[in-house]
């Protein structure tokens, strides 16, 4: 009997969102409308997923690094209050400052800027390599690999593969966090891959595939999950009868103004929460969309995380909403 539902490997971060009308252009001044643009919230892909899964009632083992020492008290307090193990948290050197700046325009498109990146490169040992201990993975039903610090990518992949724990890969186009050779190794061993449309296209072009479902040839990958924003999501599933494609509509947010930062991480949490409980793929995709809709409703990638009860309530409401939509169209 596994002690944990998920081990999550990745980063936590301090995140500041800068609101602008239009994305910056060379040679043109850009007005930022935030009164306190140095205000930051807790985030990072790894932390977003840890927090989202835990809020749903899953048992989670966090294996996280972070680059901004200002996050230390908040992160350790959160880990202590939630009762999650803390030995997978690697602190940065005192005084380290490396925050994430997100520029978001009025159309809710966003651009991510990572500061202090020179100290995160593979050739730099400022943050040091995190030891990926076997017990991080052996007692979990599934290991989720998000974008780690560059030095940790290879040991994380090796440790997960050696543990035999199924790997869920959360894609990110970052050639330092995911160098092409290591990304291919992760893709070859992944049980499930999450990526948006641009990331799927990157995989196809980078590795000379004819289509994304070519990844199924490795015999290990079972699901490819493509998030499509307002168009919902698409899931490719390898079966004995061939590849089955399941399309799911987006679940609408219940606010007029939406915030897109962290929505993809929220989708992953909802999907895997359903998958590990034996839900159908159609249900998993709808659960992913339902959780993502909560994230859209409030600024901050973990500000509006739902409980399992809240998620299932919106999941049921989305089914009813779609049923009525079909009746109206008919």
């Amino acid at each position: 009997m596994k002690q944990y539902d998920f081990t999550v490997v990745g980063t936590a971060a301090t995140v500041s969102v800068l609101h602008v009308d239009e994305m910056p252009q060379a040679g043109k001044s850009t007005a930022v409308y935030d009164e306190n643009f140095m205000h930051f919230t807790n985030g990072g892909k790894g932390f977003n997923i840890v927090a989202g899964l835990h809020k749903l009632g899953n048992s989670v083992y966090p294996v996280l690094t972070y680059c901004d020492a200002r996050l230390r008290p908040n992160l350790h307090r959160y880990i202590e209050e939630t009762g999650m193990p803390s030995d997978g948290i690697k602190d940065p050197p005192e005084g380290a400052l490396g925050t994430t700046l997100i520029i978001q325009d009025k159309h809710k498109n966003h651009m991510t800027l990572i500061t202090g990146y020179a100290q995160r490169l593979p050739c730099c040992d400022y943050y040091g390599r995190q030891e990926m201990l076997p017990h991080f993975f052996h007692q979990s039903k599934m290991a989720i690999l998000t974008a780690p610090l560059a030095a940790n990518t290879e040991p994380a992949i090796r440790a997960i593969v050696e543990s035999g724990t199924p790997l869920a890969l959360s894609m990110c186009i970052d050639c330092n966090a995911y160098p092409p050779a290591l990304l291919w190794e992760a893709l070859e061993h992944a049980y499930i891959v999450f990526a948006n449309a641009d990331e799927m296209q990157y995989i196809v072009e980078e590795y000379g595939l004819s289509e994304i479902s070519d990844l199924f040839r490795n015999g290990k990958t079972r699901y490819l999950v493509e998030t499509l924003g307002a168009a919902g999501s698409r899931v490719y599933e390898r079966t004995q009868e061939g590849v089955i494609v399941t399309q799911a509509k987006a679940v609408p947010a219940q606010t007029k103004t939406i915030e897109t930062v962290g929505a993809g991480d929220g989708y992953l949490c909802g999907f895997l929460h359903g998958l590990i409980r034996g839900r159908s793929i159609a249900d998993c995709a709808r659960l992913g969309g339902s959780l993502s809709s909560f994230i859209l409703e409030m600024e901050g990638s973990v500000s509006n995380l739902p409980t399992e009860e809240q998620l299932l309530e919106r999941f049921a409401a989305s089914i009813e909403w779609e049923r009525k939509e079909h009746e109206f169209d008919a």
Side-chain angles (χ1 to χ4, degrees):
M1 185 73 175
K2 298 288 188 179
Q3 184 176 356
Y4 298 97
D5 294 316
F6 301 99
T7 291
V8 181
V9 181
T11 59
T14 52
V15 180
S16 295
V17 180
L18 310 180
H19 295 89
V20 301
D21 281 336
E22 303 291 342
M23 284 296 178
Q25 299 177 27
K28 182 179 178 181
S29 297
T30 301
V32 176
Y33 290 99
D34 302 88
E35 292 183 6
N36 182 5
F37 62 88
M38 292 306 294
H39 170 74
F40 66 84
T41 58
N42 299 334
K45 287 177 69 65
F47 180 77
N48 294 345
I49 293 169
V50 167
L53 290 171
H54 182 269
K55 189 69 178 284
L56 294 174
N58 297 285
S59 53
V60 183
Y61 205 126
V63 180
L64 303 175
T65 54
Y66 60 104
C67 297
D68 192 333
R70 296 176 299 171
L71 182 58
R72 188 193 308 261
N74 288 337
L75 180 58
H76 281 277
R77 183 168 56 249
Y78 172 78
I79 296 297
E80 182 179 354
E81 290 175 351
T82 55
M84 287 185 274
S86 61
D87 63 332
I89 306 298
K90 187 177 188 300
D91 297 321
E94 288 289 343
L97 286 174
T99 193
T100 299
L101 303 177
I102 295 178
I103 302 175
Q104 181 170 278
D105 67 16
K106 62 184 178 183
H107 308 294
K108 303 305 177 182
N109 300 311
H110 59 266
M111 174 190 301
T112 302
L113 307 178
I114 303 174
T115 68
Y117 203 84
Q119 295 173 321
R120 308 185 192 198
L121 295 174
C123 59
C124 183
D125 62 358
Y126 178 74
Y127 290 105
R129 177 176 291 197
Q130 182 175 17
E131 187 176 3
M132 296 292 165
L133 300 174
H135 72 265
F136 290 167
F137 309 102
H138 282 303
Q139 291 303 310
S140 289
K141 297 174 184 176
M142 184 174 292
I144 303 169
L145 179 63
T146 71
L149 288 187
N152 296 330
T153 304
E154 182 174 4
I157 294 172
R158 299 281 188 272
I160 294 169
V161 172
E162 288 174 7
S163 73
T165 303
L167 168 61
L169 178 65
S170 176
M171 256 299 293
C172 174
I173 302 176
D174 182 338
C175 289
N176 288 304
Y178 284 137
L182 285 178
L183 176 58
W184 181 249
E185 186 173 346
L187 288 167
E188 282 193 309
H189 287 94
Y191 177 73
I192 181 169
V193 177
F194 291 88
N196 62 32
D198 290 337
E199 291 160 350
M200 287 286 190
Q201 186 60 32
Y202 171 82
I203 293 171
V204 169
E205 294 176 357
E206 178 67 31
Y207 301 109
L209 308 179
S210 59
E211 56 187 22
I212 195 63
S213 59
D214 285 351
L215 288 177
F216 288 129
R217 293 175 183 171
N218 63 34
K220 295 182 179 179
T221 303
R222 178 72 183 277
Y223 304 105
L224 301 170
V225 184
E226 183 177 14
T227 53
L228 303 168
S233 62
R234 182 183 299 120
V235 184
Y236 302 83
E237 178 182 3
R238 176 175 57 84
T239 71
Q240 292 182 340
E241 291 73 36
V243 177
I244 297 175
V245 180
T246 301
Q247 195 86 22
K249 291 186 177 181
V251 177
Q254 297 182 7
T255 57
K256 291 183 179 179
T257 303
I258 63 169
E259 301 289 341
T260 58
V261 177
D265 298 329
Y267 179 97
L268 179 149
C269 291
F271 189 102
L272 289 181
H273 181 73
L275 186 67
I276 209 165
R277 284 160 177 75
R279 290 269 195 169
S280 70
I281 291 304
D283 279 358
C284 290
R286 192 184 295 272
L287 284 165
S290 296
L291 202 153
S292 184
S293 71
F294 281 93
I295 307 302
L296 297 174
E297 293 171 358
M298 187 179 296
E299 186 171 301
S301 53
V302 297
S303 300
N304 199 39
L305 291 171
T307 63
E308 183 181 41
E309 181 180 2
Q310 291 170 323
L311 176 65
L312 294 178
E313 182 179 348
R314 185 162 298 185
F315 168 82
S318 72
I319 295 175
E320 180 63 16
W321 165 76
E322 193 166 317
R323 183 187 66 79
K324 290 181 178 178
E325 186 180 54
H326 283 314
E327 289 179 353
F328 179 80
D329 291 340

